[in-house]
mmCIF file of all heavy atoms in Angstrom:
data_model
loop_
_atom_site.group_PDB
_atom_site.id
_atom_site.type_symbol
_atom_site.label_atom_id
_atom_site.label_comp_id
_atom_site.label_asym_id
_atom_site.label_seq_id
_atom_site.Cartn_x
_atom_site.Cartn_y
_atom_site.Cartn_z
ATOM 1 N N VAL A 56 2.122 2.939 -14.903
ATOM 2 C CA VAL A 56 2.911 4.157 -14.676
ATOM 3 C C VAL A 56 3.739 4.435 -15.912
ATOM 4 O O VAL A 56 4.370 3.505 -16.482
ATOM 5 C CB VAL A 56 3.821 4.013 -13.455
ATOM 6 C CG1 VAL A 56 4.633 5.275 -13.245
ATOM 7 C CG2 VAL A 56 3.007 3.673 -12.219
ATOM 8 N N PHE A 68 5.753 12.013 -14.451
ATOM 9 C CA PHE A 68 5.252 10.619 -14.447
ATOM 10 C C PHE A 68 3.724 10.675 -14.412
ATOM 11 O O PHE A 68 3.120 11.542 -13.797
ATOM 12 C CB PHE A 68 5.814 9.849 -13.281
ATOM 13 C CG PHE A 68 7.246 9.485 -13.453
ATOM 14 C CD1 PHE A 68 8.251 10.343 -13.090
ATOM 15 C CD2 PHE A 68 7.583 8.257 -14.017
ATOM 16 C CE1 PHE A 68 9.579 10.012 -13.273
ATOM 17 C CE2 PHE A 68 8.921 7.922 -14.210
ATOM 18 C CZ PHE A 68 9.934 8.803 -13.829
ATOM 19 N N LEU A 102 7.808 11.973 -0.383
ATOM 20 C CA LEU A 102 6.831 11.537 -1.389
ATOM 21 C C LEU A 102 6.879 12.430 -2.615
ATOM 22 O O LEU A 102 7.071 13.631 -2.536
ATOM 23 C CB LEU A 102 5.419 11.579 -0.806
ATOM 24 C CG LEU A 102 5.081 10.621 0.300
ATOM 25 C CD1 LEU A 102 3.693 10.920 0.860
ATOM 26 C CD2 LEU A 102 5.172 9.192 -0.180
ATOM 27 N N TYR A 296 11.763 -0.565 16.895
ATOM 28 C CA TYR A 296 10.588 0.303 16.675
ATOM 29 C C TYR A 296 10.010 0.697 18.041
ATOM 30 O O TYR A 296 9.689 1.879 18.277
ATOM 31 C CB TYR A 296 9.562 -0.413 15.836
ATOM 32 C CG TYR A 296 8.319 0.415 15.525
ATOM 33 C CD1 TYR A 296 8.156 1.014 14.268
ATOM 34 C CD2 TYR A 296 7.308 0.585 16.457
ATOM 35 C CE1 TYR A 296 7.057 1.758 13.967
ATOM 36 C CE2 TYR A 296 6.205 1.372 16.175
ATOM 37 C CZ TYR A 296 6.055 1.934 14.921
ATOM 38 O OH TYR A 296 4.942 2.707 14.643
ATOM 39 N N GLU A 306 -2.325 -3.347 19.987
ATOM 40 C CA GLU A 306 -1.699 -3.248 18.656
ATOM 41 C C GLU A 306 -0.913 -4.478 18.319
ATOM 42 O O GLU A 306 -0.943 -5.001 17.181
ATOM 43 C CB GLU A 306 -0.795 -1.984 18.607
ATOM 44 C CG GLU A 306 -1.574 -0.681 18.525
ATOM 45 C CD GLU A 306 -0.676 0.505 18.543
ATOM 46 O OE1 GLU A 306 0.276 0.522 19.348
ATOM 47 O OE2 GLU A 306 -0.901 1.458 17.779
#
Side-chain angles (χ1 to χ4, degrees):
V56 180
F68 286 86
L102 294 173
Y296 181 102
E306 286 177 317

